[in-house]
Amino acid sequence: MRKLLIFSLVIAQALWLACGSSTRITASWIDPAIKGKPQANKTVFISALTRNMEVRTKLENALALQAEQRNIKAIKSSEHLRPDFYQELPPREKLLKTLKQSGADAILTVSLIDKESETRYIRGNARYAPFPFYRWYGGFYSYYNYWYPIIYDPGYYVTDKKYFLETNLYDLETEKLLWSAQSQTVNPGSIDNFVKTYPTKLIEQMIKDGLISQ
């Protein structure tokens, strides 16, 4: 029973570490021509470049919410482009016509540029657990069997999953890149966990770079 309890605690700790999610912006760039000139009154077409409709919809919804809270009108691709729109590359003029007809004057794209897994070893904790009574007359093995799971917690392996994304903002009329940010997310666990933090990190970086006002 003691062994089972300690083993369960070790597994629970491993799962907690493996599922601990974090997102950080690793690099960003802004067009020098607009630096220090916050972009206002823009209508932004948000497009998560993925064929996974659940990911696309939830991510675009979260980004649109952040935009609208700052009085930026947001248009989501999931509400304007059919699920099969990305099955093959559309002609340039067809794509631009669709975007312009939506009423947008800027495009925000989010794409997964890389992902990797990294396995690491978590060392166990050795500790001394004295027993004050001399009552172990049953022999060495009975003594060893009783104390082993308490005296020594074995180490274990966890696998961290890392996702690298790039978010770009383009001017729709000129197709010129206005702003770009790269990010790393570790162990998101689910798309629901990811969309709770990623849009906020992007907004914080946009404010820091002077793209939008506080």
Side-chain angles (χ1 to χ4, degrees):
M1 186 63 180
R2 287 173 178 265
K3 289 183 179 180
L4 179 60
L5 175 60
I6 290 176
F7 180 72
S8 298
L9 291 174
V10 169
I11 293 299
Q13 184 180 11
L15 290 174
W16 180 82
L17 287 170
C19 295
S21 175
S22 66
T23 295
R24 66 186 181 92
I25 303 296
T26 57
S28 67
W29 174 89
I30 187 169
D31 182 353
I34 65 170
K35 189 172 183 179
K37 302 175 183 178
Q39 303 298 290
N41 303 318
K42 291 284 188 181
T43 299
V44 181
F45 189 96
I46 299 173
S47 180
L49 303 181
T50 174
R51 295 179 183 178
N52 186 314
M53 279 304 297
E54 180 186 12
V55 172
R56 179 180 162 194
T57 301
K58 289 184 176 181
L59 180 53
E60 290 180 2
N61 286 344
L63 289 168
L65 180 61
Q66 286 287 337
E68 290 165 357
Q69 288 176 349
R70 288 161 178 79
N71 297 317
I72 300 172
K73 185 177 180 180
I75 299 172
K76 296 171 283 189
S77 78
S78 55
E79 295 181 351
H80 285 263
L81 304 180
R82 292 167 52 89
D84 60 357
F85 188 84
Y86 293 117
Q87 294 301 314
E88 60 181 47
L89 183 65
R92 176 175 176 274
E93 292 305 321
K94 178 183 178 181
L95 177 58
L96 292 176
K97 181 180 179 181
T98 300
L99 296 177
K100 290 178 180 178
Q101 286 178 340
S102 72
D105 48 31
I107 314 162
L108 185 77
T109 62
V110 181
S111 57
L112 177 67
I113 56 177
D114 196 11
K115 61 181 178 179
E116 63 182 42
S117 295
E118 180 181 86
T119 300
R120 56 194 172 93
Y121 181 72
I122 306 298
R123 294 176 62 86
N125 296 313
R127 63 179 183 270
Y128 177 59
F131 192 76
F133 304 107
Y134 300 94
R135 47 181 295 188
W136 296 102
Y137 297 102
F140 166 76
Y141 189 79
S142 61
Y143 181 92
Y144 184 84
N145 184 59
Y146 181 85
W147 283 114
Y148 176 76
I150 301 174
I151 295 175
Y152 183 73
D153 291 342
Y156 52 88
Y157 289 92
V158 295
T159 299
D160 292 323
K161 294 183 178 181
K162 299 180 180 180
Y163 296 85
F164 302 88
L165 285 87
E166 183 171 75
T167 301
N168 293 331
L169 179 69
Y170 297 91
D171 179 86
L172 182 53
E173 186 63 33
T174 64
E175 299 181 55
K176 183 180 180 180
L177 179 64
L178 301 177
W179 179 81
S180 179
Q182 292 76 47
S183 66
Q184 173 186 287
T185 297
V186 180
N187 299 328
S190 69
I191 182 61
D192 292 315
N193 289 335
F194 176 67
V195 300
K196 290 178 182 177
T197 57
Y198 184 68
T200 302
K201 294 293 184 180
L202 283 182
I203 291 295
E204 291 174 353
Q205 191 64 43
M206 288 178 179
I207 294 173
K208 181 179 179 180
D209 291 342
L211 182 66
I212 61 176
S213 299
Q214 179 70 44

